[in-house]
Amino acid sequence: MNPITREVDLILKNAKELLTLSPSIKEESGLGIIQNGAVAMKEGRVIWVGRTDELTKEISITSWGQEIDATGKVVMPGLIDSHTHLVFAGSRELEFEQRIQGLSYLEIAERGGGILSTVEATRKAPFEELLSLGKKRLDRMLSKGVTTIEAKSGYGLSLQDEIKILKVTKALKESHPIDIVPTFLGAHTVPKEFRNDRKQYVDLIIQEMIPRVAQEGLAEFCDVFCEEKAFSLEESRKILETGKRYGLKPKIHADQLSSGGGAELAAEVGAFSADHLEYVSPIGIERMAERAVTAVLLPGASFFLSMKQFPPAREMIERGVAVALATDLNPGSSMTESLPLMITMGCTMFRMLPREVIQATTIHAAKSMGRESDIGSLEVGKQADIAILDIPNYRYLPYHFGVDHVEMVIKKGKVVYQKPIINEQ
Ligand code: NIG
Ligand code: FE
């Protein structure tokens, strides 16, 4: 061994395009692309990134190490889904049909459907059932190239049931290769037993739920559905400020169905992200840019609810707001685990460019969870989370849609998914 070479346990080489997302690699796309790229990993971290022809001069592989040939493929950071409602029971395909027949999301909720029907099913579901449903959803995500997600509670809406959901989330995080960032969303809607006394429910969140969730270390973020029909600006502010006092970082469902000052509130409380933003105001955009609040846009919800109003993604990008895209996986407004599908919708519906939707599901998604120093790009020292795609260039990812391009997924330097081989006779 050459004395200056370093030993690693996994090498990936010959990538047609290696999307590093590193700002230090300057080229036309802004994605930090290295042609004929290679990545070397050791103990779950990236320790070398560069051109394959430079690799052997500096790096050698241990006797037990593995080498992966990515000839003709695109290699990129594992995708990050920064807004999901992962743990729930039941399903709402009948509402989907009612919407096709002309009822709106709010009309359905007013008739006893909506979030509350999922709350009922989730309260009834035993821990093990929620665990197995969650695992299936995570497996689907992994097969789409996803290596980290954010997951919200919010279908329990009682102390005991919110804790149950967050404990299922914790068990999933400990047993599945996908990393999960947990968020407490007790303020998803007012449960039916508090219908006539919403103040009492807000007090329950503030006085009992937040302290308990924080004390048990079950969530990193606190989220609120800030909306005319859910929680007011005042209530949202109170909940997010209380969360902050207990060490829960703020996030907010803002301006989804109406313009209510949610983005402005996100900036005021120093939220990591404001999500949805269909009806965000120009001032809201300004404030988000000033306070570096990431916009998490959810095209699956716009698509699934046949919304006419889309979030002004171009305006946000032009004003300097970092835009992320996520699935919003939930049984009511976005029943999908497919982040690649959101990547295409970000282009066709929100007019984001291919390079922008890739940033939106990697480095910007990481930023929306305060994880940008660890994941979201392939740079020395960062976690070795990687997706290998069987496509000739990065523009193909949004372009060739609705099919699976993911061939292999690496999480913390280990191969955790490989596309099944179909035997052709
Ligand atoms: O993010 N906006 C609020 N919550 C979900 C919908 C939840 C449901 O319908 O069950 C969302 O779109
Ligand atoms: Fe949501």
Side-chain angles (χ1 to χ4, degrees):
M1 192 176 82
N2 179 324
I4 59 151
T5 64
R6 282 177 292 165
E7 285 207 318
V8 299
D9 39 43
L10 185 60
I11 287 177
L12 204 160
K13 59 183 199 181
N14 301 325
K16 184 152 183 286
E17 286 184 354
L18 172 66
L19 318 185
T20 66
L21 276 293
S22 165
S24 67
I25 296 165
K26 305 259 181 266
E27 44 68 70
E28 149 268 330
S29 77
L31 294 174
I33 298 180
I34 300 176
Q35 311 288 337
N36 191 24
V39 188
M41 293 154 259
K42 188 175 184 176
E43 288 157 8
R45 297 266 149 194
V46 173
I47 75 150
W48 189 92
V49 185
R51 286 184 58 90
T52 303
D53 43 27
E54 304 279 313
L55 180 74
T56 44
K57 281 186 240 156
E58 299 183 39
I59 300 291
S60 74
I61 196 156
T62 55
S63 51
W64 63 86
Q66 191 188 350
E67 212 173 81
I68 296 165
D69 179 21
T71 300
K73 314 272 158 73
V74 168
V75 172
M76 65 180 294
L79 296 175
I80 301 171
D81 194 343
S82 53
H83 181 138
T84 83
H85 303 254
L86 177 72
V87 179
F88 62 85
S91 59
R92 306 205 325 245
E93 61 275 36
L94 287 179
E95 287 181 16
F96 177 65
E97 193 166 320
Q98 287 171 337
R99 279 203 304 275
I100 297 168
Q101 291 167 323
L103 283 186
S104 75
Y105 182 72
L106 285 177
E107 281 163 346
I108 291 168
E110 274 154 19
R111 292 179 183 200
I115 298 176
L116 286 179
S117 66
T118 302
V119 170
E120 207 178 314
T122 307
R123 284 179 175 178
K124 281 194 199 125
F127 188 93
E128 289 303 323
E129 183 190 331
L130 291 173
L131 196 66
S132 114
L133 286 165
K135 183 186 176 308
K136 276 192 191 167
R137 290 173 194 142
L138 288 172
D139 286 347
R140 284 187 206 110
M141 289 171 164
L142 188 66
S143 76
K144 309 283 181 202
V146 172
T147 49
T148 301
I149 68 162
E150 183 261 12
K152 302 172 196 299
S153 66
Y155 288 114
L157 310 186
S158 69
L159 178 63
Q160 173 197 331
D161 292 300
E162 285 294 300
I163 297 279
K164 176 175 76 171
I165 292 170
L166 290 168
K167 284 193 171 163
V168 169
T169 308
K170 185 171 180 219
L172 289 167
K173 177 183 162 80
E174 285 164 0
S175 59
H176 199 279
I178 291 184
D179 247 336
I180 306 180
V181 178
T183 295
F184 168 65
L185 178 59
H188 198 185
T189 191
V190 176
K192 63 175 183 319
E193 59 278 19
F194 288 95
R195 193 183 301 147
N196 299 318
D197 195 356
R198 51 181 305 118
K199 178 169 183 309
Q200 221 189 323
Y201 184 61
V202 174
D203 287 346
L204 177 70
I205 294 176
I206 288 172
Q207 291 162 12
E208 292 184 44
M209 292 188 184
I210 289 177
R212 178 76 183 279
V213 166
Q215 183 201 341
E216 294 203 25
L218 287 170
E220 186 175 329
F221 287 90
C222 179
D223 194 347
V224 177
F225 187 13
C226 179
E227 187 67 51
E228 212 179 297
K229 298 275 186 241
F231 294 88
S232 69
L233 271 183
E234 277 315 303
E235 291 165 337
S236 301
R237 179 182 291 113
K238 223 162 133 182
I239 292 165
L240 294 174
E241 289 294 352
T242 306
K244 272 163 64 177
R245 270 191 276 116
Y246 282 90
L248 302 179
K249 301 166 199 157
K251 271 184 175 286
I252 180 164
H253 278 69
D255 306 318
Q256 178 186 8
L257 305 169
S258 57
S259 186
E264 290 87 331
L265 178 64
E268 179 195 318
V269 300
F272 280 65
S273 70
D275 304 33
H276 282 288
L277 298 170
E278 280 78 351
Y279 290 88
V280 66
S281 71
I283 292 170
I285 298 177
E286 272 323 307
R287 299 271 184 281
M288 285 176 64
E290 280 160 24
R291 297 292 305 267
V293 179
T294 301
V296 177
L297 307 184
L298 307 162
S302 309
F303 173 76
F304 205 60
L305 298 179
S306 308
M307 301 265 293
K308 301 277 176 296
Q309 177 88 11
F310 291 159
R314 285 254 57 86
E315 224 173 299
M316 288 191 254
I317 292 169
E318 271 140 36
R319 296 277 149 84
V321 174
V323 172
L325 287 173
T327 59
D328 195 16
L329 164 65
N330 77 77
S333 67
S334 189
M335 186 63 166
T336 183
E337 289 94 349
S338 181
L339 202 49
L341 191 53
M342 303 306 113
I343 283 177
T344 294
M345 289 177 180
C347 294
T348 57
M349 292 161 54
F350 299 169
R351 292 178 41 240
M352 292 169 71
L353 296 171
R355 62 178 154 81
E356 292 168 340
V357 291
I358 289 175
Q359 288 166 336
T361 46
T362 54
I363 195 68
H364 291 176
K367 186 171 175 289
S368 76
M369 304 189 283
R371 291 281 203 280
E372 68 275 25
S373 60
D374 210 37
I375 54 173
S377 66
L378 296 174
E379 295 175 272
V380 172
K382 280 193 146 185
Q383 204 163 280
D385 294 356
I386 296 175
I388 304 176
L389 311 174
D390 189 11
I391 49 176
N393 61 66
Y394 77 87
R395 289 187 175 90
Y396 247 76
L397 182 53
Y399 164 65
H400 189 174
F401 75 101
V403 291
D404 286 335
H405 297 299
V406 176
E407 202 167 271
M408 187 182 276
V409 180
I410 295 168
K411 178 71 188 177
K412 293 183 186 152
K414 300 238 163 5
V415 177
V416 289
Y417 172 81
Q418 228 164 335
K419 189 177 191 162
I421 297 160
I422 299 160
N423 281 325
E424 282 169 24
Q425 300 291 324

